[in-house]
Amino acid sequence: MADKHVSERLIALLSGRGEDLGAEWAEKVTGSLGGRVARAEVERELREIYAALVAALSDGSVDGYDEAFGEVRALLTELSRNRALQGFTPTETAVSVFALKQVLEPSLVGEDSDADAYLRFAALLDTLGLFTIEVYSRTREELIAAQAEQLLELSTPVVKLWEGVIGVPLVGTLDSARTMVVMEKMLQALIDTGSEQAIIDITGVPTVDTEVAQHLLKTVVAARLMGAECTISGIRPQIAQTIVALGIDFGDIVTKSTLADALRHALRRSGTTVSRTAPQAGAR
Amino acid sequence: MTGPSRTSEVLEITTTAGVVQARQQVRVLAQQCRLSLVDQTKLITAASELARNTLVHGGGGTMTALLVEERARRGVRLSFADHGPGIADVDLALTDGWTSGTGMGLGLSGSKRLVDDFVLDTTPGEGTTVTITKWGR
Ligand SMILES: Nc1ncnc2c1ncn2[C@@H]1O[C@H](COP(=O)(O)OP(=O)(O)OP(=O)(O)O)[C@@H](O)[C@H]1O
Ligand SMILES: [Mg+2]
């Protein structure tokens, strides 16, 4: 079998040059990482990958996605994840695999060259190299998603505006994940402050479409279930015109153009009156 | 006839991030076209609705955006295309408040009111393309 022959040849080569091959490999990888990973650490990683690679080849396979390469892929996954989390580039990550190709190249294209073995081995390392890049980008995506979630928490402050009145300033868009956070925080703040009035200010929401409107309505209903009343403020003229053209009906929910108007309304509803008095002498 | 297009960009809409990107791209084009603030907002909102329909009902698709010029007026034209299930009853889908899901049922009919031209092209089993244009004054 061709695969068998190729893998036998590769094992002979890999184990024949064992020590110095490993050293050369570690040298290349450490160099490309600019000393940001200790040589000993690189050597440990590569020794494990090397052993797993030889073991997989002993199973007679040269296909990187084969079951035999499960251990190799697990080790590469770990390496890739670490590099991604430490802020290395995809190139600096994949070099761990591709450097082995460079190191082995001279022996494979030498005097008793074996084109078939070389091509198969090159293809195997390409597969494994691409695999590390795939894991790398998946890890980065997870990182970005986690950061987005943190941002979600950060960008949703709930503030006490007055005795019995809380304010929920929204900035950005209101998708379902965001709505969950907003709703939870608002309901908790209503309880914590003993408030019965909430003002949701959407001055910082650039687009109010049916999704945002639906989520706003849900939030208001949740507050009502707790015996609290919501006012929506910060509806700019262009948003008002768009809402009307879309056909969205906010029903009996009170909407105000400014936060000040909404606060006045909420205070009146909670039985507090604010009145202007003549400025006191000396209060300037 | 429509004159030559100035810009043509194709955006993949396969996740909610695609809907956000669609809004951002349309905002840039609407500003380039010098639409009024109200018209910008209306166009962006219509784009948001149609992009989400492409994603939710059409199972993902694309938005093609371009600036168009005709008879000395400039506008933004957006085309939302998917290879989803299509719409069997167009009149019903364009009825305010009708939804096959859990939405408000205002996205399609509402976005028609937000723009100047609205062309809905759909074949059951093949897909849906909605093309809208907003002209500058
Ligand atoms: N691209 C599409 N492919 C298939 N069906 C569609 C598509 N766009 C709209 N529809 C159908 O038309 C109906 C009405 O669309 P519309 O956008 O008005 O409402 P909705 O998406 O259900 O709710 P929302 O008010 O949140 O947009 C949808 O429920 C869906 O059945
Ligand atoms: Mg819709």
Side-chain angles (χ1 to χ4, degrees), chain A residues 173 175 206-214 217 237-239 241-249, chain B residues 16 20 23 27 37-38 41-42 44-45 48-49 52 96 102-104 106-107 109-111 113-114:
Chain A
T173 93
D175 56 16
T207 315
V208 180
D209 59 7
T210 59
E211 188 187 36
V212 171
Q214 219 180 2
L217 290 172
Q238 67 272 26
I239 298 286
Q241 289 189 46
T242 304
I243 288 175
V244 170
L246 257 182
I248 295 168
D249 182 8
Chain B
T16 51
V20 176
R23 282 199 294 264
R27 184 183 305 278
L37 190 53
V38 172
T41 309
K42 286 183 173 177
I44 294 163
T45 308
S48 185
E49 293 298 341
R52 189 144 11 77
D96 274 357
T102 56
M104 293 182 124
L106 291 172
S109 52
S111 51
R113 286 188 292 267
L114 289 172

Side-chain angles (χ1 to χ4, degrees), chain A residues 210-211 214, chain B residues 49 52-54 57-58 82 85-87 93 98-109 128:
Chain A
T210 59
E211 188 187 36
Q214 219 180 2
Chain B
E49 293 298 341
R52 189 144 11 77
N53 280 354
T54 299
H57 306 299
D82 65 62
I87 301 173
W98 188 84
T99 173
S100 62
T102 56
M104 293 182 124
L106 291 172
L108 206 57
S109 52
T128 303

Side-chain angles (χ1 to χ4, degrees), chain A residues 52-76:
Chain A
L53 197 59
V54 173
L57 288 168
S58 313
D59 275 5
S61 172
V62 280
D63 174 6
Y65 282 109
D66 212 84
E67 224 183 283
F69 284 89
E71 174 69 11
V72 176
R73 288 196 305 269
L75 289 167
L76 288 176

Side-chain angles (χ1 to χ4, degrees), chain B residues 10-47:
Chain B
V10 179
L11 174 77
E12 297 277 334
I13 304 169
T14 50
T15 62
T16 51
V19 179
V20 176
Q21 267 178 292
R23 282 199 294 264
Q24 286 168 350
Q25 266 191 22
V26 173
R27 184 183 305 278
V28 172
L29 282 177
Q31 284 167 356
Q32 270 175 23
C33 192
R34 298 187 185 284
L35 294 185
S36 70
L37 190 53
V38 172
D39 283 346
Q40 280 180 32
T41 309
K42 286 183 173 177
L43 181 64
I44 294 163
T45 308

Side-chain angles (χ1 to χ4, degrees), chain A residues 30 33 35-45:
Chain A
T30 313
L33 296 181
R36 278 177 294 158
V37 179
R39 165 96 194 210
E41 173 68 10
V42 172
E43 272 178 14
R44 187 192 58 77
E45 281 173 352

